[in-house]
Coordinates of all heavy atoms in Angstrom, one line a residue:
P91 N 195.5 92.5 146.2 CA 194.7 93.4 145.3 C 193.9 92.6 144.4 O 194.4 91.6 143.7 CB 195.7 94.1 144.5 CG 197.1 94.0 145.3 CD 197.0 92.6 146.0
S92 N 192.6 92.9 144.3 CA 191.6 92.1 143.6 C 190.3 92.8 143.5 O 189.9 93.5 144.4 CB 191.3 90.8 144.4 OG 190.0 90.3 144.1
P93 N 189.7 92.8 142.3 CA 188.4 93.5 142.1 C 187.3 93.0 143.0 O 186.3 93.6 143.1 CB 188.0 93.2 140.6 CG 189.1 92.6 140.0 CD 190.1 92.0 141.1
V136 N 191.7 93.5 148.6 CA 191.4 94.9 148.5 C 191.2 95.4 147.0 O 192.1 95.0 146.2 CB 192.4 95.8 149.1 CG1 191.9 97.3 149.3 CG2 192.7 95.3 150.6
S137 N 190.2 96.1 146.8 CA 189.9 96.6 145.3 C 190.2 98.1 145.3 O 189.8 98.8 146.2 CB 188.5 96.3 144.9 OG 188.2 97.0 143.8
V138 N 190.8 98.4 144.1 CA 190.9 99.9 143.9 C 189.9 100.5 143.0 O 189.8 101.8 142.8 CB 192.3 100.4 143.3 CG1 193.4 99.9 144.4 CG2 192.6 99.7 142.0
G139 N 188.9 99.7 142.7 CA 187.7 100.3 141.9 C 187.0 99.2 141.2 O 187.6 98.1 141.0
Y141 N 186.5 98.0 138.3 CA 187.0 97.8 137.0 C 188.1 96.8 137.0 O 188.7 96.6 138.3 CB 187.5 99.1 136.3 CG 188.4 99.9 137.2 CD1 189.7 99.6 137.5 CD2 187.9 101.0 138.0 CE1 190.5 100.4 138.4 CE2 188.6 101.7 138.8 CZ 189.9 101.3 139.1 OH 190.7 102.1 139.9
V142 N 188.5 96.1 136.0 CA 189.5 95.0 136.1 C 190.7 95.5 135.4 O 190.8 95.9 134.2 CB 188.9 93.8 135.4 CG1 189.9 92.6 135.6 CG2 187.6 93.4 136.0
L143 N 191.8 95.3 136.1 CA 193.2 95.7 135.6 C 193.9 94.4 135.3 O 193.4 93.2 135.6 CB 193.9 96.5 136.7 CG 193.4 97.7 137.1 CD1 194.0 98.3 138.4 CD2 193.6 98.8 135.9
T144 N 195.0 94.5 134.6 CA 195.8 93.2 134.2 C 196.4 92.6 135.4 O 196.8 91.4 135.2 CB 196.8 93.6 133.1 OG1 197.7 94.6 133.7 CG2 196.1 94.1 131.9
G145 N 196.8 93.3 136.4 CA 197.4 92.7 137.5 C 197.3 93.5 138.8 O 196.8 94.7 138.7
G146 N 197.9 93.0 139.9 CA 197.8 93.7 141.1 C 198.9 94.7 141.5 O 198.9 95.4 142.4
P149 N 197.4 98.5 141.4 CA 196.8 98.7 142.6 C 197.6 98.7 143.9 O 197.4 99.6 144.9 CB 195.7 97.5 142.8 CG 195.6 97.1 141.3 CD 196.9 97.5 140.6
Ligands
ADE301 N1 193.5 93.4 140.1 C1 192.8 93.6 139.0 N2 191.9 94.5 139.0 C2 191.9 95.1 140.3 C3 191.3 96.1 140.9 N3 190.2 96.8 140.4 N4 191.6 96.3 142.2 C4 192.5 95.6 142.8 N5 193.2 94.7 142.2 C5 192.9 94.3 140.9

Side-chain angles (χ1 to χ4, degrees):
S92 149
V136 188
S137 167
V138 295
Y141 42 79
V142 182
L143 298 165
T144 55

